[in-house]
Amino acid sequence: MKDFYSRRQAMKTVIIGAGNVATHLSIAMKDAGFDIVQVYSRSEEHAQDLANRLECNYTVVIQCITRDADIYIFSVKDDALPGIIRQTPANDGLWLHTAGSISIDVFKGYSNCYGVIYPLQTLSKHRKTDFGSIPLFVEGNTRESEADVLRIALALSGKIRIMSSEKRRYLHLAAVFACNFTNHLYAIATAILEEQDIDSQVILPLVLETANKLRRMTPENAQTGPAIRYDKDVIDSHLAMLDDEDLREIYLKLSENIHKTAIKQK
C-alpha cells in the first residue's frame, strides 16, 4: 500500500464532468493524493468552479482534453456518456465511469483499460459528505484493470465491493426507489404542510425514525399506517383531501401495494 500511495501522488487524473458526483469524487481523489490535472465540462462556469476547488486547469472543448493522464473519470449524465466517450481523444489511460445503470461495455472499442466506480450515495455539490464512508461498487474489463480500479477505490473509501454491470443495474433501480422516490414523497408531504401553514420540520423526527428502523428491522416489519391494514375510511378521507389527480393516484397505488405486500407476508 505504501508503494501505491507514493505512486498515486504522481497519477495524473482528468475529471470529465463537473456535477454532484464529479465534484465529490474529484475532491476525495485530491485529498487522497491523486494529481488532478484537468476538468472538462460543457459549462465554463461549472468547469471553472470545480477546477478552482481542485487547483487545476479546465477546458470546455472536449478535443482539448489532455492525452497523457493516467486516469480519466467520466462523471456525466447517463444519456450524455456514450457521446462524450466517442469524442474523447484516444489515450492509454484507465477510463472509468461512475454511473449505476450503464454497462462497463460502453467503453468497448474506445479504450483498452476501463472500468467503473459507482458511489451508492445521494450527493449534492455544495453539501459536505464523508466520502470515506460511501460504499463504492467497482468493476474492470480485465483482471489488471479491475485490480487498478480496486486500488483507486480503496484509497477513497473503506467500503468496496466488486459488482458486475448487470447486478449494478438492479442496485441502481433499488436506489431510485429507496432514495429518489422517497425524497419526492418528502417533497409532496412538505407541500401539503406548507399549504396548511404547518412547519414542515415537524415531520423530520418521523422521517429519521423511519430510516433508523431499518438498522434493526426489515422494511416489511417496520411498515405502519392505514394502508397496511387497508383502513378504507381513512384512505378515502385522505383521497378526498387531495385536489391533484396525480397525487390521488400515487396515494392509492402506494396504499394498494403496501396492503398486497402485507398480505403476502402473512
Side-chain angles (χ1 to χ4, degrees):
M1 184 58 70
K2 285 184 178 179
D3 288 343
F4 179 69
Y5 180 78
S6 61
R7 194 156 58 86
R8 76 174 183 248
Q9 289 180 316
M11 294 179 78
K12 296 169 67 174
T13 303
V14 172
I15 306 299
I16 301 170
N20 294 329
V21 176
T23 297
H24 283 277
L25 179 57
S26 61
I27 291 172
M29 292 185 75
K30 178 178 172 62
D31 290 344
F34 291 86
D35 182 16
I36 312 295
V37 296
Q38 188 183 49
V39 169
Y40 162 80
S41 175
R42 290 182 299 178
S43 164
E44 183 162 7
E45 179 185 356
H46 294 165
Q48 186 175 28
D49 179 62
L50 182 54
N52 286 342
R53 298 177 72 176
L54 298 170
E55 300 178 296
C56 69
N57 296 321
Y58 73 90
T59 182
V60 294
V61 180
I62 196 165
Q63 291 77 16
C64 292
I65 290 176
T66 184
R67 300 183 183 211
D68 64 348
D70 302 294
I71 305 168
Y72 293 80
I73 304 289
F74 292 76
S75 189
V76 297
K77 292 180 180 179
D78 289 5
D79 58 358
L81 181 58
I84 294 292
I85 290 171
R86 285 194 297 269
Q87 297 176 69
T88 299
N91 59 72
D92 294 326
L94 174 64
W95 292 22
L96 305 174
H97 76 65
T98 63
S101 61
I102 303 296
S103 169
I104 191 175
D105 292 336
V106 72
F107 289 125
K108 190 174 290 186
Y110 298 98
S111 175
N112 293 323
C113 304
Y114 52 89
V116 177
I117 293 183
Y118 169 52
L120 185 64
Q121 185 55 278
T122 174
L123 298 169
S124 297
K125 190 180 295 188
H126 298 294
R127 178 177 169 80
K128 285 188 176 181
T129 301
D130 177 13
F131 205 90
S133 67
I134 296 176
L136 301 180
F137 294 83
V138 304
E139 186 180 10
N141 70 309
T142 65
R143 287 185 180 180
E144 293 78 9
S145 295
E146 193 158 275
D148 287 338
V149 181
L150 270 171
R151 282 191 285 266
I152 294 167
L154 284 167
L156 305 175
S157 173
K159 299 180 179 180
I160 312 299
R161 184 176 297 181
I162 297 172
M163 183 172 285
S164 70
S165 291
E166 183 63 16
K167 291 289 187 183
R168 195 176 65 256
R169 288 175 63 235
Y170 283 97
L171 177 63
H172 187 256
L173 172 62
V176 168
F177 273 98
C179 175
N180 305 135
F181 288 172
T182 54
N183 189 72
H184 181 64
L185 294 178
Y186 299 152
I188 292 172
T190 297
I192 290 171
L193 293 172
E194 289 179 348
E195 286 175 3
Q196 298 301 317
D197 293 323
I198 301 172
D199 181 4
S200 62
Q201 291 295 302
V202 298
I203 64 167
L204 189 56
L206 175 65
V207 170
L208 295 175
E209 175 59 14
T210 302
N212 284 331
K213 276 185 179 182
L214 300 184
R215 297 177 183 273
R216 308 181 303 274
M217 307 169 66
T218 65
E220 292 81 7
N221 288 334
Q223 188 71 58
T224 61
I228 193 170
R229 58 185 181 272
Y230 213 81
D231 190 327
K232 194 171 186 307
D233 288 345
V234 174
I235 290 171
D236 287 347
S237 173
H238 286 171
L239 290 172
M241 295 163 68
L242 294 169
D243 296 328
D244 187 291
E245 182 60 34
D246 289 338
L247 294 186
R248 284 198 294 271
E249 184 176 358
I250 291 171
Y251 184 103
L252 186 58
K253 290 293 185 183
L254 284 174
S255 296
E256 289 173 348
N257 200 261
I258 289 169
H259 186 59
K260 287 178 183 178
T261 300
I263 291 173
K264 289 178 183 178
Q265 297 301 313
K266 289 182 178 179

